[in-house]
Structure formats: structure tokens, C-alpha cells
Amino acid sequence: MMQPVTPLVPSQAGVTAGTAADASPWLLRPCQDTAQQARELALELADRLRAAIDARGQALLAVSGGKSPLALFAELRRQELAWDRVTVLLADERCVPDGHPDSNGTLVREQLLQECAAAARWQPFFTTLPSQPSSDWSEAELDCLADSANQQLAALPWPLDLLVLGMGEDAHTASLFPAAPGLARALESEQRVAWVRPATAPHARLTLTLPTLLAARAIYLPLSGERKRAVFDQACRAASAEAPISLVLHRALQPVQVWLAP
């Protein structure tokens, strides 16, 4: 049985407790290892999805790509619930064609939308891209791609019911990369999606904007390893655009649930 989450307070972590609107701290869930983290977080997410479906008849789930969530996806796709009432989208996507090794969408379809979860509705950011690599695209082309994504996502039942984020060792989350071209707009835009062009990672990206992330009804941040724990501890100290994950921790409308594994 999952242990209850507990507030992250100064006596536990040696940092100032983060708050949502200076009212509610983020929540810390220690895990013995990444296997327990994936297994019990999948159970938690399934319960949240069932509750959203019971309350509103449908659920909107945003997940992150990369290698970190693969174990979670393997557990979550086996959960029995009304997946046909769940819409799945990404927190961010690399601007690469479908089937590309770096495509988060391909990864989610192959690793999450299988078994029980195969019945879920998949909502991509885009279906076609300019033919040349995204490094050659102009800002006007990126604007058009973001505008198209916003039109495609407009009819979804916002806000997100569940958001599963990741975090890089540079403190980025989704594709909110520190100091990246496009970051300022992605932090402030009232649109759901914006583009970012990180200098430290390949490919231009589309990402859910910070206001869209912050409005989610439930936010989960699974982390593992000492290096990411150190980045997280630093982000707990203050909200700063130099560490975008800190903006989520300190400003989310609901306390961020941080699941930590060694």
C-alpha cells in the first residue's frame, strides 16, 4: 500500500518549503527504488484518472517523454480503467517526424498506449512538418507550427486533470529550457503551446506553456538519483526562470507531488 505523501519542510530537506500562492507546500513522496516509484505512482495515477472520469466523464492526461518514464509507462498501461474516456497528450515534443528516434509521440504510442491503455485517445501537437530539419526553420515557421498546435488542442477539456513532468539536470521541465530562445513567451503566453529552441539540446520544441502547466488539477514529478535531487533541492529555494522547474514548484495552483527515488 502506498505511504501517504508528506509535506517537504525545512527540517526534512534543509531548504525553505515551497508554496503554491504562499499557501500549500509541495509534497514529497520518498520511494525505496525506481521500481517502487513506477509501480505505486502508476496506481496513484490510475486512481486519479478514475476519479476524473467519475467527476467529469473524461480525463485529460499529459505526460513527458524521454527514457525516465519508461518504467512508469509499463506499469500504467496495465491499469484497468475506462481508457476510452482518457485523452493523452505530451507536455512537450521535439519537432521531428513521426517515427523519428527522438520523437516523444512515437515513444508514448509504443510504450504507453498499449495493453489496457491502447483504448485511450492520442492527441499529437502536429501531424506534418516542414521538410528541412528544425534547426533551419525561421521563427515565422515555428510560430505557424505553434499556432496550428493551439488550434488542434483548443477543443480539449482543459485544464489538465493529470500532468506528469520530468526534470533535467539543467532544471528544465517540459521544454522550458533555461535561457533558450522562445522561453520568455513560453513562460508568459496565454496560449496552450509555444515553441522553444534550446541551445543545449537538439531540435526545436513545442511545449505546453507555463500557465497551462500550472493550472493542472494534479502535477506529479518523479525524480531519481543524487544529481537530480541536488537540482531539486536548489529549485526549492526560490522561483527563477534560470531554473524553470522552480517556477512550477513555487507557482502551481495545486501542490506538486514529488516522488523521489535513490
Side-chain angles (χ1 to χ4, degrees):
M1 179 178 295
M2 189 184 77
Q3 302 173 6
V5 292
T6 55
L8 179 62
V9 296
S11 60
Q12 289 177 290
V15 298
T16 301
T19 63
D22 295 324
S24 302
W26 50 81
L27 303 173
L28 180 66
R29 168 63 163 90
C31 300
Q32 294 178 349
D33 52 37
T34 54
Q36 182 200 30
Q37 181 191 65
R39 182 175 61 254
E40 296 190 357
L41 181 53
L43 294 173
E44 166 84 2
L45 296 176
D47 283 344
R48 288 273 190 167
L49 289 170
R50 294 185 191 102
I53 293 167
D54 288 345
R56 291 175 287 281
Q58 59 187 324
L60 186 58
L61 166 66
V63 298
S64 299
K67 296 180 180 178
S68 297
L70 292 182
L72 173 61
F73 289 170
E75 295 286 348
L76 184 57
R77 70 193 185 203
R78 301 186 184 108
Q79 301 301 312
E80 295 185 359
L81 57 100
W83 281 104
D84 59 331
R85 298 187 182 183
V86 178
T87 298
V88 179
L89 70 157
L90 284 159
D92 66 309
E93 175 63 294
R94 301 175 177 102
C95 294
V96 295
D98 184 42
H100 190 284
D102 293 336
S103 168
N104 283 335
T106 299
L107 180 143
V108 167
R109 292 199 310 277
E110 293 179 350
Q111 300 296 326
L112 174 58
L113 302 184
Q114 302 293 328
E115 300 182 62
C116 295
R121 175 193 173 198
W122 166 241
Q123 177 61 64
F125 285 161
F126 50 77
T127 54
T128 59
L129 293 172
S131 58
Q132 70 270 32
S134 64
S135 57
D136 297 331
W137 299 352
S138 66
E139 290 191 4
E141 288 174 305
L142 289 168
D143 285 341
C144 287
L145 190 63
D147 288 345
S148 175
N150 279 304
Q151 292 174 15
Q152 292 188 58
L153 272 59
L156 294 180
W158 301 99
L160 295 166
D161 289 295
L162 280 85
L163 168 62
V164 183
L165 287 173
M167 184 194 76
E169 293 180 4
D170 60 355
H172 86 265
T173 191
S175 278
L176 306 177
F177 282 81
L183 176 65
R185 182 186 298 180
L187 295 181
E188 299 173 0
S189 176
E190 295 181 359
Q191 297 293 318
R192 301 293 180 189
V193 176
W195 62 264
V196 175
R197 183 173 265 158
T200 56
H203 315 300
R205 317 287 183 100
L206 293 185
T207 183
L208 296 181
T209 59
L210 180 63
T212 300
L213 300 177
L214 297 180
R217 292 186 172 101
I219 303 176
Y220 292 85
L221 178 64
L223 300 174
S224 61
E226 293 182 1
R227 295 180 68 176
K228 288 195 175 182
R229 177 59 190 260
V231 174
F232 168 72
D233 285 348
Q234 183 64 33
C236 290
R237 298 181 184 276
S240 169
E242 295 178 2
I245 188 61
S246 70
L247 302 177
V248 178
L249 290 169
H250 289 269
R251 298 179 183 175
L253 299 184
Q254 302 295 329
V256 179
Q257 301 199 34
V258 184
W259 288 50
L260 289 170

